[in-house]
Amino acid sequence: MLDAILTFVATLLVAVFAMIMLLAGVETWNGAMIEPFLLRRTLLLLIPIVGIGLVFLRARRSLRKARAKREAGDSRENARAAGQARPALDLARRRTKAAGGDAAAKIVAESQAQAKRSDDAHRAKIRAHVERKAPPASDADRAAIALASRACLAIRHVFPPRHPQRLMSFFGGVPLAPDDLDWPMIHNRKGLLEPLTFMGQVDLGALPDGPARSLLPAHGCLYFFAPMSGNFDGDASHFVVRYVEGKARKDWGPQHNPGFLEPIDGAENARYRYPWLTWHDKPEKVYPRFYPRIEIELGWLEDVAEVEEGDPDAGDGFPWEVAKQRRRQQLVAFHGEPVSWNDALSAHGKPTDRLWIPFEGFPTNRRTAEVLLGYLKSYIKEETIGIKARLDTLPAGSEDPERSALSALLERFAQFEKDRWRIFQLATTGEAQRGKALDENQRTELLALLEELRAGALPEGVLERHYMHKRLPMVLNDWIARAAVEGAESALADPDGIAQVPDAVVEALRYRHSVLRDPDFSKNGSYAQHQMLGRGVAIQDAAELMAPEHILLLQLRWDNALDWHMGDAGAAQYWIRPTDLAGRRFENTVLTFESH
């Protein structure tokens, strides 16, 4: 009983101490005293209840120990009396254990064999698709190919975003589909099954009537995937499209991949694409797995041939020049007027002698803070690692002045973060919270921190960076520019965040979402268009090789708003044979990927 009393007293003291620290922590967090009456009365009530409960549990434990001791003594007496029977009993136990072990091992072996058979069947299915011999194109096939090439469904972003989204057609995000959607899984270079990255979906039932509309199903959704992680070989160009028949139903919902999806464009590239995330202990765990979701609209553009004699416009110039002008008119009619570069959110030419504020209300939301603070934390992490690496090259325990200076730098970086722990918590923001506006205190603290960085609050970097502008404070405007774009896009994607973004900022972002950009379009007619059907852009030789026997089901080009770079201004093109398209065998679609 004495040990139970001592346990109660010790527990009581620890509980009181913990409650006092909790209360102090809450008060410190809020920055002001809280109303103590109700909380402290609750603590005074909880402490004796917890103590009595612990005494009761301790007493029960003591009784169990005493009972176990008596039973152990009886067992020893019984064991001596049954000494002659022990060898037989042990033998029986060993046989039973062996039989049980054999059964468990048999179950495990059968499970492994079944998994291997399933995996082998998956490999064989892919291999059969890769090596299949398709029959030569028939006259009907060639007619379908010709029909598909004479017109295309051009694709444009819906910008600014609409709330709520009206169409089931969009790029990025996750599929909206039935729960049983068959997400493509392909063996990567390590031999492990890995999901492909979702690129977008098209609601076929919402397509407008047009020249080649008869080639596509009247209803259903197409889901497009691609091997974007960089972990795959050529087999991943197969089984990249899924088709769900019928109209979308109310029970369709967001479908996440069935396995571990790698970061988009791979972890190695992600650290350059998302440098504000490298401060995490395992950044590869937090890099994005999905592209931003953007609603899309589709419209028909007819192929424009050279004018012939007798055409009303034949006298307007060379036949090919007239055709080019007609093509431009169609593009402008669908995509809108060409958009010129707007440097309102660019760091180029912005002041460094004072803090640059891109627009009124900046920093706007949690996403803006996440990017800015992520850049800073990553910068401090890089410098800290560099200092420690240099310290490791110095003799241990020496009184070297360089060691003292480097140790002092480490302390300054650590103290800098410690003193600003409250605002640094905004560096971690859930996806659902990114469009949430910062309150006035958070904005004030963040602006004060930016001003400190501009004024040189951190010591000069020790790393040998390739470009001087990557050091603070020279790099600060680059951070602000990226944070302004990311924060504004997050605000526009949130129905409650639209008011955070001034109209001038919306116009500055329009360039990111536009297909037609000046001066390139007006000068030489160049553009990068997503499309279904039509003629695929020629990058290397894929379009030339595939076009004679395939229809271009979908073409995806580089797109800044989606973080699609497609190599160097390349294209991902999904090709399908006419017979497979007519038979709705979209699983036979083949993906080609080329860049300059």
Side-chain angles (χ1 to χ4, degrees):
M1 192 62 181
L2 179 60
D3 61 342
I5 294 174
L6 293 176
T7 300
F8 170 71
V9 173
T11 304
L12 179 62
L13 294 175
V14 172
V16 170
F17 178 75
M19 295 302 179
I20 292 173
M21 294 302 295
L22 175 62
L23 184 62
V26 172
E27 293 171 349
T28 302
W29 176 275
N30 290 337
M33 291 294 292
I34 63 173
E35 177 57 46
F37 179 75
L38 181 59
L39 178 59
R40 296 183 184 184
R41 171 171 285 188
T42 303
L43 296 182
L44 290 175
L45 181 63
L46 287 176
I47 288 170
I49 292 176
V50 173
I52 293 171
L54 289 172
V55 170
F56 175 72
L57 293 175
R58 182 74 179 188
R60 287 190 60 184
R61 184 180 176 188
S62 299
L63 290 174
R64 287 177 179 174
K65 284 185 177 180
R67 187 183 298 115
K69 187 179 293 185
R70 289 196 301 272
E71 290 176 354
D74 294 341
S75 298
R76 285 193 294 271
E77 291 297 326
N78 294 335
R80 281 195 294 270
Q84 298 299 323
R86 180 176 295 172
L89 180 62
D90 290 344
L91 179 60
R93 286 176 176 172
R94 286 196 297 271
R95 288 177 176 175
T96 302
K97 184 176 180 180
D102 290 344
K106 186 176 180 180
I107 292 174
V108 172
E110 178 58 30
S111 176
Q112 291 176 342
Q114 183 177 356
K116 187 177 186 304
R117 287 194 296 270
S118 176
D119 195 53
D120 289 345
H122 191 93
R123 290 176 185 269
K125 182 180 178 182
I126 295 175
R127 183 51 46 193
H129 191 269
V130 173
E131 297 175 350
R132 75 190 190 286
K133 302 297 183 184
S138 64
D139 290 341
D141 292 340
R142 284 188 284 272
I145 293 171
L147 175 61
S149 66
R150 286 196 294 268
C152 76
L153 278 162
I155 300 174
R156 66 188 177 202
H157 295 185
V158 175
F159 183 82
R162 296 184 296 212
H163 299 286
Q165 180 173 311
R166 302 174 191 173
L167 302 175
M168 286 282 289
S169 298
F170 56 87
F171 288 145
V174 297
L176 286 179
D179 291 339
D180 60 353
L181 177 69
D182 181 19
W183 193 299
M185 303 271 287
I186 306 295
H187 290 89
N188 59 25
R189 291 191 179 96
K190 295 181 180 179
L192 303 175
L193 276 174
E194 181 182 320
L196 299 184
T197 301
F198 177 66
M199 304 300 288
Q201 68 181 64
V202 175
D203 180 7
L204 298 171
L207 297 181
D209 290 332
R213 181 65 182 86
S214 60
L215 294 175
L216 298 169
H219 297 287
C221 278
L222 287 175
Y223 300 88
F224 296 89
F225 300 82
M228 302 303 290
S229 70
N231 297 335
F232 298 94
D233 55 23
D235 287 353
S237 62
H238 301 264
F239 296 109
V240 289
V241 175
R242 293 291 183 263
Y243 172 55
V244 176
E245 297 184 74
K247 296 181 179 180
R249 300 188 303 272
K250 292 182 179 179
D251 60 346
W252 286 19
Q255 303 300 320
H256 293 270
N257 59 285
F260 180 74
L261 190 62
E262 289 288 325
I264 50 180
D265 287 356
E268 283 300 313
N269 288 329
R271 64 193 181 103
Y272 300 109
R273 295 269 296 278
Y274 310 101
W276 62 86
L277 295 175
T278 58
W279 65 269
H280 290 273
D281 291 336
K282 294 183 177 180
E284 65 277 4
K285 301 293 185 182
V286 298
Y287 290 141
R289 264 65 182 173
F290 303 101
Y291 296 105
R293 175 171 159 173
I294 296 178
E295 186 180 5
I296 57 174
E297 294 176 322
L298 297 91
W300 289 98
L301 302 180
E302 295 189 38
D303 187 40
V304 180
E306 294 183 5
V307 297
E308 298 179 355
E309 187 176 351
D311 190 288
D313 299 326
D316 292 346
F318 292 113
W320 57 88
E321 289 292 344
V322 176
K324 182 187 294 185
Q325 186 60 29
R326 287 181 174 179
R327 190 175 300 113
R328 290 190 182 190
Q329 290 173 354
Q330 284 195 68
L331 288 167
V332 171
F334 177 71
H335 290 291
E337 292 294 331
V339 178
S340 299
W341 167 249
N342 186 320
D343 68 350
L345 302 181
S346 170
H348 181 70
K350 297 305 186 291
T352 57
D353 59 340
R354 62 185 185 277
L355 184 62
W356 171 47
I357 306 297
F359 54 88
E360 185 178 357
F362 178 89
T364 53
N365 51 28
R366 298 289 294 268
R367 177 62 167 173
T368 312
E370 178 189 22
V371 175
L372 284 170
L373 296 169
Y375 268 122
L376 179 55
K377 287 176 69 70
S378 299
Y379 183 92
I380 292 175
K381 177 182 176 181
E382 292 170 3
E383 292 296 332
T384 300
I385 291 174
I387 293 170
K388 290 179 178 178
R390 189 170 298 183
L391 280 171
D392 289 342
T393 64
L394 301 177
S398 67
E399 298 297 331
D400 191 317
E402 184 179 4
R403 172 175 288 277
S404 299
L406 292 173
S407 299
L409 279 179
L410 278 180
E411 179 60 29
R412 285 185 62 183
F413 280 120
Q415 191 63 42
F416 184 89
E417 285 193 275
K418 183 178 179 181
D419 292 342
R420 296 155 183 82
W421 64 271
R422 191 196 307 270
I423 191 64
F424 268 116
Q425 291 182 89
L426 294 177
T428 304
T429 300
E431 185 174 352
Q433 294 289 317
R434 285 175 175 169
K436 182 179 179 181
L438 297 175
D439 61 40
E440 195 57 36
N441 288 335
Q442 291 169 334
R443 287 191 67 250
T444 301
E445 282 192 69
L446 189 51
L447 286 171
L449 176 59
L450 295 177
E451 177 58 37
E452 286 184 271
L453 296 175
R454 188 203 65 79
L458 281 179
E460 184 177 353
V462 301
L463 291 183
E464 295 182 2
R465 298 175 182 265
H466 295 293
Y467 302 98
M468 282 297 296
H469 72 270
K470 290 189 175 182
R471 290 185 178 180
L472 278 172
M474 288 78 78
V475 74
L476 182 59
N477 281 354
D478 291 335
W479 295 357
I480 291 174
R482 185 62 185 265
V485 171
E486 293 288 334
E489 292 277 17
S490 294
L492 292 176
D494 188 333
D496 298 326
I498 298 175
Q500 301 170 12
V501 186
D503 291 342
V505 175
V506 175
E507 290 307 309
L509 291 173
R510 192 177 297 277
Y511 186 86
R512 288 166 44 85
H513 294 266
S514 299
V515 169
L516 309 183
R517 297 176 172 182
D518 268 348
D520 291 339
F521 178 74
S522 296
K523 183 178 180 180
N524 52 37
S526 64
Y527 60 95
Q529 178 178 258
H530 310 303
Q531 67 185 64
M532 296 185 72
L533 308 181
R535 302 179 188 274
V537 62
I539 305 294
Q540 301 291 342
D541 55 6
E544 181 180 352
L545 294 174
M546 301 296 286
E549 296 188 354
H550 294 79
I551 290 173
L552 179 65
L553 185 60
L554 178 69
Q555 173 178 279
L556 302 178
R557 299 297 310 277
W558 53 268
D559 192 319
N560 290 342
L562 282 157
D563 278 332
W564 289 351
H565 298 281
M566 303 300 175
D568 182 11
Q573 296 171 327
Y574 296 79
W575 302 90
I576 188 169
R577 290 181 179 274
T579 52
D580 289 326
L581 179 58
R584 307 314 185 220
R585 294 185 293 272
F586 290 98
E587 67 276 8
N588 288 339
T589 304
V590 176
L591 171 65
T592 62
F593 188 98
E594 292 182 326
S595 63
H596 292 290

